[in-house]
């Protein structure tokens, strides 16, 4: 068995180009998807405030990093919303503000709360200064700014109702999703050796020799598993040590929980190999199968934003969904062992089913 495994890696060392290119593609696409600059929500502004008041409000608005504020004339700002170029316009006035929003803009309440906070602070400061004697206004203004820069105490907010909610980290989700998707092709390339060897009758010469058939299977499957696992470990290590992505203390755990996913993909590849009779058909089946599995499993987008019950039901047949659950569970969500037991069990169940059916079909074809 070890001799077969050693031969596989010697052949791999002669032609490692495809493996290296796939690893580079994973890193590049993951970086572009997760590390790229986050698009800010454009917002149009128009104001009836004087220059001093407007500059104070704008200074506070620029602290809202998720928005990109641009000042227009009133007619132009409203036209921006009507033409669909922006989803919201804000009218700044002395007595308050007014929101002009597109029908599909869902963040109006959150934006309104932020504007309320800004306006209350600015108006309070303005009221204090205006009520002060003229000779003390400058001194009081500097004192207020000093207090704002160095407050005596800080008020913190905590949403107790959302502690069990799903956290979102675009960088990690992109890394996990695209890695689990692309590694399917890497594992399939290893299992494809079995299809090639059976076509070229090399498999028959191996099994009629002194090597037991089960050792030939174990060697080939171990080779495919190691190809996939080492690629995942390499990609995760690059983004953890070199890029500096925060794994929320779960880097080493992620290297462990990914094992059942890799086993499941190896078993799925064996199942497809049993159906396909030629290497060409096997590659075609795996290529066609990998993309919908990634889409259904949440590799491209979080399943939490999917509202279709049919799509959510279909996602339960995708190993990528459970692989993502495990990786997100030990990193972003800090799930307990009990929570991780379900996706782990499903992946192991799929592994046993696919492996059992696949090897049985392969053996029956060999007997025929």
């Amino acid at each position: 068995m070890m001799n077969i495994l050693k031969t596989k890696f010697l052949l791999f060392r002669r032609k490692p180009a495809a493996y290296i290119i796939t690893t580079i593609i994973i890193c590049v696409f993951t970086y572009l998807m997760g590390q790229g600059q986050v698009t800010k929500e454009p917002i149009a502004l128009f104001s009836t405030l004087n220059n001093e008041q407007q500059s104070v409000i704008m200074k506070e608005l620029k602290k809202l990093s998720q928005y990109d504020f641009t000042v227009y004339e009133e007619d132009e700002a409203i036209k921006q919303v009507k033409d669909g170029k922006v989803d919201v316009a804000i009218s700044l006035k002395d007595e308050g503000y007014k929101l002009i929003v597109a029908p599909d803009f869902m963040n109006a309440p959150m934006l309104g709360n932020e504007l309320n906070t800004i306006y209350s602070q600015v108006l309070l400061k303005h009221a204090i200064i205006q009520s002060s004697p003229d000779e003390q206004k400058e001194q009081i203004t500097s004192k207020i700014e000093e207090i704002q820069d160095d407050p005596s105490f800080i008020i913190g907010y905590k949403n107790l109702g959302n502690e069990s909610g799903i956290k979102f980290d675009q960088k990690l989700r992109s890394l996990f999703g695209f890695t689990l998707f692309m590694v399917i092709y890497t594992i399939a390339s290893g299992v494809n050796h079995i299809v090639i060897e059976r076509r070229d009758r090399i498999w028959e010469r191996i099994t009629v020799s002194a090597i037991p058939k089960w050792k030939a299977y174990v060697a080939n499957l171990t080779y495919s598993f190691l190809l996939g696992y080492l690629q995942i470990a390499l990609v995760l290590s690059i983004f953890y040590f070199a890029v500096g992505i925060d794994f929320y203390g779960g880097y080493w755990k992620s290297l462990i929980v990914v094992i059942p996913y890799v086993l499941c993909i190896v078993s799925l590849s064996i199942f497809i190999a049993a159906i396909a009779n030629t290497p060409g058909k096997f590659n075609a089946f795996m290529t066609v199968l990998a993309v919908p599995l990634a889409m259904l499993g949440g590799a491209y987008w979080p399943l939490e934003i999917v509202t279709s019950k049919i799509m959510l039901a279909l996602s339960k047949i995708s190993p990528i969904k459970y692989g993502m659950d495990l990786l997100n569970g030990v990193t972003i969500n800090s799930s307990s062992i009990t929570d991780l037991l379900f996706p782990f069990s499903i992946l192991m169940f799929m592994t046993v089913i696919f492996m059992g059916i696949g090897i049985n079909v392969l053996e029956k074809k060999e007997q025929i």
Side-chain angles (χ1 to χ4, degrees), residues 63-91:
K63 295 179 182 179
L64 305 177
S65 58
Q66 68 270 37
Y67 301 115
D68 182 18
F69 297 96
T70 306
V71 179
Y72 297 94
E73 294 295 329
E74 180 176 354
D75 293 340
E76 179 62 24
I78 296 174
K79 187 174 183 296
Q80 291 278 324
V81 178
K82 288 182 178 179
D83 294 342
K85 295 180 180 178
V86 299
D87 289 330
V88 59
I90 304 175
S91 171

Side-chain angles (χ1 to χ4, degrees), residues 232-251:
I232 292 177
L234 177 60
V235 172
L236 296 186
S237 299
I238 289 173
F239 278 88
Y240 179 69
F241 292 106
V243 180
I245 282 187
D246 184 9
F247 277 69
Y248 300 90
Y251 167 72

Side-chain angles (χ1 to χ4, degrees), residues 16 46 130 152 162 167 181 208 235 259 262 289 325:
F46 61 97
Q130 292 301 317
S152 300
N162 194 39
K167 299 178 183 178
F181 166 54
V208 298
V235 172
I259 292 176
V262 178
L289 187 63
D325 288 345

Side-chain angles (χ1 to χ4, degrees), residues 9-77:
F9 279 105
L10 288 174
L11 294 173
F12 168 77
R13 191 175 67 177
R14 293 181 182 178
K15 296 180 179 180
Y19 190 84
I20 295 173
I21 291 173
T22 305
T23 304
I24 293 174
I25 289 174
I26 295 174
C27 294
V28 171
F29 272 81
T30 300
Y31 183 84
L32 293 177
M33 292 170 64
Q35 290 289 107
Q37 185 177 6
V38 178
T39 303
K40 295 183 177 182
E41 177 76 33
I43 294 179
L45 283 175
F46 61 97
S47 171
T48 59
L49 302 173
N50 59 46
N51 292 335
E52 182 181 353
Q53 291 175 321
Q54 182 172 322
S55 63
V56 173
I57 295 291
M58 288 298 298
K59 181 180 178 182
E60 295 297 323
L61 290 176
K62 288 181 179 178
K63 295 179 182 179
L64 305 177
S65 58
Q66 68 270 37
Y67 301 115
D68 182 18
F69 297 96
T70 306
V71 179
Y72 297 94
E73 294 295 329
E74 180 176 354
D75 293 340
E76 179 62 24

